[in-house]
């Protein structure tokens, strides 16, 4: 996988970040001004948000740095010596970013699977809520 | 239970800051009914200073050894519907209690915590913490709260439904972070916890490495201890398990990348350019940080503090790894509660 491919992936991540995560954050701010539970629009579940944010952070950040260095290289040609087109250093950064994202997804999947077999549930009665509140809570969940 | 709020302030050698804390409580738009300072056998005159500031001061027969111990000592004295916990170095915005208590109007909510901003932002450690808090309280906490599961109701400024708190036996001192332990136990018992961003508190953060080290050690070990104790019950709470999993991933993988893999690659491959990885995420992290700073009118301060945040992040990563190693691998748990300021 060459630098152009990694760059392309990063651009996609960055676009996702710009199109999805930041508007989602804005939406959260808007929603938070409304009474809780009243007219909440659907939002991306947390794992998706976390995944996009992480890939956006890593891929987008990496892309911006690379772009900045390449731009700088146009003005200061000597810098290009530090950054050949297929620089293994940047390959490593890209692979590292992808690897971190991959481990996060793995962790989230493992946790979901574990929750099916190892979860220890406490009786909801421990909360001291009355029957009506418990019913409301269960409906909300 | 009578209506009203009892504030519990655990204090050990806090003579310098305790009167500011009590005064900020007395100036609230909604004043607490009772202010109890638990002087945990201080040797610097905390008792007298707190008493002259207007608080009711109690003193256990001997030092309880932890913040949770001091708080539990005074919990049986609470007769009001609400209990509030505040650190002895923390002051509140004048309307903080009024705004925080709104969240507790909901009968299903057992605890609520507010926004935290360091009172002083001068040294590299305070600046790092300032940016860390801006990111956490402007972005992470609101997202967690939206999904109904703030990870922690911060111990430095939180309010609780007294009967729910007493039903759980108060604060536990089996971990170094009693606030995480309590928050998660509320979830396990079916209660809700809320984060209230416009209720603002100002604690004094560690100003040098000596104190920061103690605090980071306590927080890192406390998080790992709580995961170790509660992991099976955390798995039963859908959103909480995701949030804890991401936090654990961050503690392990991101810390390893920052503290081990990156330096190793830079050294072995002799490629200093890889150091850009330390700042590669800044463009995006900056978005919520600056958003939070602009809202507070502190943009310049936030920008000037970014380098300190990078330093603190790396140091924090080291202590997280140390905690994981000590608690989970060599089974050498941290038991001694050392104040971080």
């Amino acid at each position: 996988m060459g630098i152009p491919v990694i760059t392309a992936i990063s651009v996609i991540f960055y676009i996702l970040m710009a199109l999805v995560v930041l508007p989602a954050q804005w939406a959260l701010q808007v929603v938070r001004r409304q009474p809780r539970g009243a007219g909440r629009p659907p939002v991306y579940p947390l794992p998706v948000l976390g995944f996009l944010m992480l890939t956006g952070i890593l891929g987008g950040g990496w892309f911006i740095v690379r772009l900045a260095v390449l731009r700088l290289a146009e003005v200061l040609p000597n810098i290009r010596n530090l950054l050949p087109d297929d620089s293994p250093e940047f390959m490593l950064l890209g692979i590292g970013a992808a690897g971190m994202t991959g481990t996060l997804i793995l962790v989230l999947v493992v946790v979901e699977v574990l929750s099916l077999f190892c979860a220890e549930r406490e009786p909801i009665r421990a909360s001291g809520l009355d029957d009506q509140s418990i019913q409301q809570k269960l409906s909300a969940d | 239970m009578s209506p009203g709020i009892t504030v519990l302030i655990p204090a050990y050698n806090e003579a310098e800051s305790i009167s500011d804390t009590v005064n900020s409580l007395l100036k609230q738009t909604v004043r607490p009914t009772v202010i109890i300072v638990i002087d945990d056998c201080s040797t610097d005159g905390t008792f007298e200073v707190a008493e002259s500031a207007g608080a009711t001061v109690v003193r256990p027969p001997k030092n309880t050894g932890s913040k949770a111990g001091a708080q539990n000592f005074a919990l049986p004295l609470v007769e009001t519907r609400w209990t509030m916990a505040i650190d002895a170095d923390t002051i509140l915005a004048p309307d903080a209690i009024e705004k925080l208590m709104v969240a507790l109007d909901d009968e299903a909510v057992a605890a609520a915590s507010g926004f935290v901003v360091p009172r002083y932002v001068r040294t590299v450690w305070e600046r790092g913490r300032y940016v860390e808090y801006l990111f956490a309280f402007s972005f992470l906490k609101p997202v967690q709260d939206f999904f109904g599961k703030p990870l922690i109701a911060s111990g430095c400024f939180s309010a609780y439904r007294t009967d729910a708190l007493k039903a759980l036996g108060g604060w536990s001192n089996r971990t170094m972070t009693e606030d995480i332990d309590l928050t998660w136990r509320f979830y396990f018992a079916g209660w809700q916890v809320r984060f209230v961003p416009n209720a603002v508190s100002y604690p004094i953060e560690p100003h040098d490495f000596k104190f920061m080290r103690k605090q980071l050690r306590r927080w890192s070990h406390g998080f790992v201890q709580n995961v170790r104790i509660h992991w099976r019950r955390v798995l039963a709470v859908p959103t909480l398990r995701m949030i804890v999993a991401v936090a654990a991933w961050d503690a392990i993988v991101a810390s390893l990348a920052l503290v081990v893999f990156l330096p190793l690659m830079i050294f072995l491959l002799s490629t200093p350019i890889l150091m850009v990885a330390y700042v590669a995420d800044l463009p995006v992290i900056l978005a919520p940080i600056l958003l939070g700073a602009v809202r507070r009118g502190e943009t310049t301060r936030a920008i000037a503090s970014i380098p300190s945040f990078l330093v603190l992040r790396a140091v924090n990563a080291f202590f997280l790894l140390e905690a994981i190693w000590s608690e989970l691998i060599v089974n050498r748990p941290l038991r001694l509660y050392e104040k971080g300021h």
Side-chain angles (χ1 to χ4, degrees):
Chain A
M1 188 162 61
I3 285 294
V5 179
I6 296 180
T7 305
I9 292 170
S10 296
V11 171
I12 293 167
F13 286 157
Y14 200 63
I15 290 170
L16 281 174
M17 180 72 199
L19 291 182
V20 180
V21 179
L22 294 181
Q25 190 200 350
W26 173 80
L28 290 184
Q29 297 298 326
V30 174
V31 168
R32 282 183 50 76
R33 294 197 184 102
Q34 299 174 355
R36 191 172 170 75
R40 292 196 319 189
V43 293
Y44 298 91
L46 195 65
V48 177
L49 196 69
F51 166 72
L52 288 176
M53 186 173 170
L54 192 82
T55 50
I57 285 172
L58 297 171
W62 175 83
F63 170 69
I64 287 175
V65 170
R66 168 149 181 89
L67 201 67
V69 175
L70 286 175
R71 286 278 175 227
L72 205 59
E74 288 173 8
V75 186
L76 303 167
N78 286 343
I79 285 183
R80 184 166 284 282
N81 298 333
L82 296 173
L83 186 68
D85 276 348
D86 284 317
S87 156
E89 293 83 6
F90 276 92
M91 288 285 284
L92 277 173
L93 283 177
I95 291 166
M100 289 183 78
T101 308
T103 53
L104 177 62
I105 295 167
L106 190 67
V107 166
L108 293 177
V109 170
V110 166
V111 164
E112 285 304 310
V113 173
L114 279 177
S115 72
L116 296 176
F117 303 105
C118 305
E120 186 180 302
R121 287 171 174 79
E122 283 204 358
I124 197 167
R125 294 275 171 190
S127 67
L129 295 176
D130 58 32
D131 287 348
Q132 192 184 354
S133 304
I134 290 170
Q135 202 53 47
Q136 282 172 352
K137 181 176 167 44
L138 291 173
S139 308
D141 287 347
Chain B
M1 290 268 168
S2 61
I5 306 161
T6 299
V7 180
L8 299 183
I9 312 173
Y12 177 69
N13 287 343
E14 302 280 5
E16 276 184 31
S17 59
I18 191 72
S19 58
D20 287 343
T21 304
V22 174
N23 286 333
S24 88
L25 288 166
L26 294 173
K27 288 176 186 162
Q28 288 293 302
T29 51
V30 171
R31 279 180 64 168
T33 317
V34 186
I35 300 170
I36 300 176
V37 172
I38 307 106
D39 172 31
D40 209 354
C41 303
S42 304
T43 54
D44 68 343
T46 297
F47 190 104
E48 292 75 16
V49 176
E51 200 167 47
S52 64
T56 301
V57 188
V58 295
R59 188 170 197 164
K62 62 174 185 175
N63 184 281
T64 62
S66 69
K67 184 173 155 185
Q71 287 169 316
N72 283 335
F73 177 76
L75 188 57
L77 306 175
V78 178
E79 293 173 346
T80 52
R81 192 172 178 208
W82 312 110
T83 303
M84 184 167 283
I86 298 181
D87 282 355
D89 62 357
T90 299
I91 58 170
L92 304 179
D95 57 357
I97 292 183
E98 182 184 352
K99 289 185 167 159
L100 189 70
M101 297 311 288
V102 172
L104 287 156
D105 285 343
D106 186 337
E107 288 292 323
V109 174
S113 66
F115 200 100
V116 183
V117 185
R119 199 186 319 177
Y120 305 119
V121 184
R122 298 168 301 205
T123 69
V124 63
W125 307 107
E126 290 167 334
R127 286 182 176 278
R129 182 52 58 74
Y130 168 69
V131 173
E132 190 177 73
Y133 280 175
L134 271 184
F135 183 64
F137 289 92
S138 302
F139 183 72
L140 297 179
K141 286 260 187 181
V143 170
Q144 292 169 1
D145 185 59
F146 179 80
F147 288 98
K149 294 288 181 295
L151 184 64
I152 314 166
S154 311
C156 72
F157 174 42
S158 284
Y160 310 96
R161 196 172 290 277
T162 304
D163 51 4
L165 180 61
K166 286 185 174 178
L168 291 182
W171 292 268
S172 167
N173 57 7
R174 61 188 160 180
T175 74
M176 289 292 113
T177 46
E178 74 296 324
D179 49 1
I180 298 182
D181 189 292
L182 181 61
T183 309
W184 292 4
R185 284 188 291 131
F186 277 131
Y187 290 137
F188 303 152
W191 290 101
Q192 291 178 17
V193 176
R194 297 298 311 274
F195 164 65
V196 184
N198 53 1
V200 186
S201 63
Y202 302 91
I204 298 174
E205 294 297 328
H207 65 281
D208 62 15
F209 181 71
K210 180 184 157 198
F211 287 113
M212 182 58 84
R213 184 187 73 85
K214 289 180 183 174
Q215 193 188 63
L216 289 180
R217 247 189 117 216
R218 214 176 60 231
W219 287 3
S220 304
H221 280 260
F223 175 71
V224 178
Q225 288 167 351
N226 274 290
V227 172
R228 186 175 190 173
I229 291 171
H230 295 301
W231 70 275
R232 286 172 68 99
R233 288 193 289 178
V234 167
L235 284 174
V237 187
T239 311
L240 183 66
R241 67 173 174 253
M242 281 295 162
I243 293 170
V244 174
V246 172
W249 172 89
D250 191 45
I252 299 169
V253 180
S255 298
L256 274 175
L258 276 178
V259 178
V260 181
F261 296 143
L262 265 174
L264 213 60
M265 284 205 297
I266 291 166
F267 177 72
L268 291 178
L269 303 174
S270 303
T271 50
I273 193 90
L274 281 177
M275 289 180 78
V276 295
Y278 281 105
V279 293
D281 55 352
L282 268 189
V284 177
I285 283 187
L286 275 176
I289 290 172
L290 290 181
L291 215 64
V294 167
R295 274 197 213 113
R296 299 183 51 77
E298 297 170 353
T299 316
T300 313
R301 174 188 271 188
I303 292 172
S305 302
I306 294 289
S308 306
F309 167 67
L310 297 173
V311 173
L312 181 60
R313 184 166 70 164
V315 174
N316 203 7
F318 171 81
F319 282 103
L320 279 165
L321 290 176
E322 187 274 329
I324 291 164
W325 175 262
S326 301
E327 297 282 341
L328 301 181
I329 298 172
V330 297
N331 197 22
R332 207 167 48 218
L334 182 64
R335 290 278 174 251
L336 182 65
Y337 190 98
E338 284 187 288
K339 269 178 57 174
H341 50 81

